[in-house]
Amino acid sequence: MRMNRCNSGTDSKGGLAGFSSLDGRRTVIAVCAGSLCGRTVRYVMKALQIVFAGLDLWMEAHLARAVYCVMDVHYGAPGTGSVLRHECVLRRTGCRLRIRWREREKIMDEHIYMRRVIELAHKGEGWCHPNPMVGAVIVKDGRIIGEGYHARCGELHAERNAIASLRESAKGATIYVTLEPCCHYGRTPPCTEAIIEQKIARVVIGSRDPNPKVSGGGAKVLREAGIEVVEDFLRDECDALNPVFFHYITTKTPYVIMKYAMTADGKIATKTGASKWITGGEARGRVQQMRHACMGIMAGIGTVLADDPMLNCRIEGGRDPVRIICDSTLRIPAESAICRTAQEIPTIVVSAFPELPDGEIAAAENPAKSAVSPAPEAADAASESKTGAESIYSKIRSLQQCGIRVFNIPDRKDPENSRPDLAELMKQLGKLEIDSILLEGGGTLNESALRAGIVQEVRAFIAPKLFGGQAKTPVEGGGVSVPDEAVQLEYKSAERIGEDLMVTYRVKK
């Protein structure tokens, strides 16, 4: 077989290449394009002209009058776009080369299958907590015959949803899945059982599951059943789906994202405290998506008193996060938007009274009764203490009647700290299966969160504005003495949203 190669050049979106294999009867040509735009289409045509010119010369040299051709045109960077396969018949009439071609089929490679799986997995965002986002696609003879994703916690996993959607037998097929299939009984049966029952021959896995109940066990069960298992396929892209799950399943504490909007000179409000609005509507819309994606949202009492926010998700069809308000002495007003809507949106208020027991205060519990009886000589002081405790309990009871759960979590390790122990709070929230929190606090709460080491990610929305003056900044507190004491961040990404910029960092531990 003779091989000719013709290159037509490249563009910034992936480039083009034409290939032809000629044996007198069949020609196979592949053309790769960066994207389906006007410029790329012109490049594709140029590539075809070069390839076909080479064919014309070959046909003339071999006195051939017709050649059958199969041409694959890739739209998008290799491994990312669709592939259209065409049949072509090339005939020489005198000095002219005539081309007749038609689309025969759409084919895909394994990268495209897995990226389809990732796309499906994203559909579970905001709904499948505390489970991971997972997608699955079943492929047989080059065709997708079933697909699914994990929609909600307690419902079928992605693999079982894909199997439920099958239009034909999956015997001998390949299943692509973003996360290692589970092999244990939880809220649903093991996915490995369903894969084996369907006689699927091959499993392609993106991420490994750090859940101790799985952690390699799923792949092992499948291999023992005689199924070929490919692991770590597009692992980085699949891992990017579930930083929340990976953190939560290994630490049993929420993944905390600190979010703030600031000007280019680092101000979150003007000198008068005005902050509406620093960023534009598109950036604020992205924040609503983040509220939908996170299971909880946390703010301080200062934010509640200054702005009276709802802290809900304003996307149509979105999910409201659990609202968590850090309020050491329960100053939250009964007429605030938080209290007025607590029957509709789950809400937790966290106090820090050292004289009260730790943890959630039960509705019928009276902190005054839990106090130790004082000696007779301290009767006056005891009476004062009892009155104070009863006053606190009265406030707690009024909040509970609004539908609010009250947790008392003082910092027992540092009695001088009058604010809640945020590290202990994360443990309590983890027990409630709250796997992620969007921290929308002011500078004081942000500083406390960073000092407590509970933040995993920072998302800074930067507006093209300058406020100047002595206005507030995203992180208040005493600050550090020397640069080496700074909280170290690792750059993750930057994205322009409207006129604003969102920069995402990971917090180095």
Side-chain angles (χ1 to χ4, degrees):
M1 178 182 289
R2 175 180 169 183
M3 296 293 294
N4 293 334
R5 171 175 176 144
C6 303
N7 290 327
S8 66
T10 60
D11 70 6
S12 62
K13 298 184 178 180
L16 325 165
F19 300 89
S20 62
S21 61
L22 310 179
D23 59 3
R25 294 179 298 104
R26 179 180 177 85
T27 302
V28 179
I29 304 172
V31 179
C32 297
S35 64
L36 190 56
C37 62
R39 183 179 65 171
T40 302
V41 170
R42 290 195 296 273
Y43 285 164
V44 170
M45 295 310 298
K46 181 179 178 182
L48 294 179
Q49 290 170 5
I50 294 174
V51 173
F52 290 152
L55 285 173
D56 191 19
L57 292 173
W58 180 86
M59 292 168 70
E60 184 175 358
H62 291 76
L63 302 177
R65 291 193 176 275
V67 174
Y68 174 79
C69 167
V70 175
M71 180 173 64
D72 294 342
V73 180
H74 298 247
Y75 297 106
T80 62
S82 61
V83 184
L84 298 181
R85 173 160 287 177
H86 300 78
E87 288 181 341
C88 307
V89 177
L90 297 90
R91 296 186 182 276
R92 244 180 111 249
T93 305
C95 297
R96 292 187 177 183
L97 180 67
R98 298 182 182 276
I99 308 170
R100 188 178 76 243
W101 60 328
R102 65 183 179 86
E103 183 179 325
R104 190 175 82 177
E105 62 181 323
K106 184 173 182 178
I107 60 174
M108 304 174 79
D109 66 18
E110 291 203 314
H111 290 77
I112 299 174
Y113 292 136
M114 186 59 86
R115 290 193 172 101
R116 170 57 180 164
V117 173
I118 293 171
E119 180 184 354
L120 288 169
H122 275 292
K123 293 185 177 183
E125 185 175 55
W127 300 109
C128 61
H129 299 291
N131 288 349
M133 292 186 287
V134 184
V137 162
I138 301 173
V139 178
K140 186 175 182 180
D141 299 329
R143 296 171 295 110
I144 293 178
I145 61 172
E147 58 181 29
Y149 65 96
H150 183 41
R152 290 179 185 267
C153 181
E155 296 183 3
L156 292 179
H157 288 184
E159 299 92 324
R160 287 185 175 271
N161 274 326
I163 288 169
S165 75
L166 283 170
R167 301 185 293 270
E168 60 186 85
S169 169
K171 183 177 181 180
T174 296
I175 184 169
Y176 297 82
V177 61
T178 51
L179 185 69
E180 179 182 2
C182 65
C183 55
H184 65 287
Y185 281 88
R187 292 183 175 97
T188 58
C191 290
T192 51
E193 283 187 4
I195 292 170
I196 294 168
E197 288 169 2
Q198 292 294 318
K199 296 182 170 55
I200 290 173
R202 185 167 176 261
V203 179
V204 179
I205 298 169
S207 298
R208 303 192 182 210
D209 193 341
N211 186 344
K213 296 178 180 178
V214 183
S215 192
K220 180 181 178 183
V221 168
L222 294 171
R223 287 191 176 103
E224 289 175 349
I227 296 174
E228 178 188 351
V229 178
V230 177
E231 296 181 279
D232 301 330
F233 189 78
L234 291 185
R235 180 170 181 174
D236 289 345
E237 293 179 42
C238 292
D239 283 354
L241 278 170
N242 289 305
V244 168
F245 173 73
F246 295 152
H247 173 83
Y248 176 73
I249 202 66
T250 54
T251 67
K252 298 303 180 185
T253 60
Y255 185 91
V256 178
I257 301 171
M258 177 188 292
K259 187 281 303 179
Y260 53 81
M262 67 179 187
T263 59
D265 59 341
K267 309 299 184 183
I268 63 172
T270 65
K271 64 181 182 180
T272 64
S275 60
K276 294 183 180 179
W277 295 102
I278 291 176
T279 54
E282 292 179 53
R284 298 198 300 274
R286 176 62 63 87
V287 172
Q288 297 303 313
Q289 294 175 10
M290 293 166 62
R291 289 183 179 184
H292 167 77
C294 289
M295 199 168 181
I297 183 170
M298 188 161 73
I301 185 60
T303 298
V304 174
L305 295 175
D307 301 332
D308 192 24
M310 280 279 289
L311 299 180
N312 63 331
C313 175
R314 293 190 286 274
I315 298 174
E316 185 176 354
R319 185 196 58 80
D320 289 323
V322 177
R323 302 179 299 192
I324 303 149
I325 309 300
C326 292
D327 182 7
S328 301
T329 56
L330 300 183
R331 292 186 292 152
I332 186 168
E335 63 276 10
S336 65
I338 295 291
C339 289
R340 287 187 286 105
T341 57
Q343 295 287 353
E344 293 80 40
I345 304 174
T347 305
I348 295 172
V349 171
V350 185
S351 63
F353 294 107
E355 64 268 32
L356 267 59
D358 294 0
E360 183 172 10
I361 304 297
E365 187 174 345
N366 188 338
K369 294 180 180 178
S370 65
V372 177
S373 298
E377 60 271 18
D380 290 343
S383 177
E384 248 180 63
S385 175
K386 183 176 179 181
T387 302
E390 287 178 343
S391 174
I392 294 170
Y393 175 67
S394 177
K395 177 67 174 183
I396 292 173
R397 185 169 55 188
S398 67
L399 293 176
Q400 290 171 337
Q401 288 172 347
C402 291
I404 294 173
R405 300 175 70 175
V406 180
F407 283 72
N408 187 58
I409 307 180
D411 190 343
R412 302 293 183 189
K413 299 184 292 295
D414 182 9
E416 293 185 5
N417 178 20
S418 61
R419 300 189 180 103
D421 184 338
L422 296 181
E424 181 60 30
L425 173 60
M426 293 305 107
K427 295 177 184 177
Q428 296 290 331
L429 297 176
K431 292 177 182 178
L432 299 178
E433 294 193 328
I434 295 176
D435 65 354
S436 52
I437 291 175
L438 182 62
L439 177 58
E440 290 200 35
T444 300
L445 182 57
N446 287 346
E447 189 272 339
S448 296
L450 289 169
R451 183 159 37 83
I454 68 169
V455 180
Q456 281 70 51
E457 187 176 307
V458 175
R459 294 188 191 180
F461 289 82
I462 305 172
K465 300 174 183 178
L466 300 171
F467 283 173
Q470 300 299 311
K472 292 182 178 180
T473 62
V475 181
E476 297 286 337
V480 299
S481 301
V482 293
D484 287 346
E485 296 176 357
V487 175
Q488 298 295 321
L489 306 178
E490 177 186 350
Y491 171 80
K492 184 178 177 183
S493 65
E495 179 183 356
R496 181 172 178 175
I497 304 174
E499 293 299 313
D500 306 306
L501 187 68
M502 182 182 77
V503 184
T504 302
Y505 301 95
R506 290 190 184 93
V507 178
K508 292 183 179 180
K509 298 298 182 182

